[in-house]
Amino acid sequence: MSFHSTAAQLVTLASEGEEHGGNHESLNPYLTGGGALFVLLLLLWITTRFNRDR
């Protein structure tokens, strides 16, 4: 598969996605970002609890 044909297929795929917008109605970006931040902070807290010897 050549670079040109791959690029053409990606452009076609990207243009088909414009009509839907790419976001689901039930996905709230603030809730998703807040949840991700909470999970990362929880993982950071767990990691620091296991590294008390340093």
Side-chain angles (χ1 to χ4, degrees), residues 15-36:
S15 66
E16 290 174 356
E18 288 178 356
E19 57 196 35
H20 299 294
N23 291 331
H24 196 268
E25 293 176 3
S26 66
L27 288 178
N28 184 353
Y30 294 110
L31 183 62
T32 305

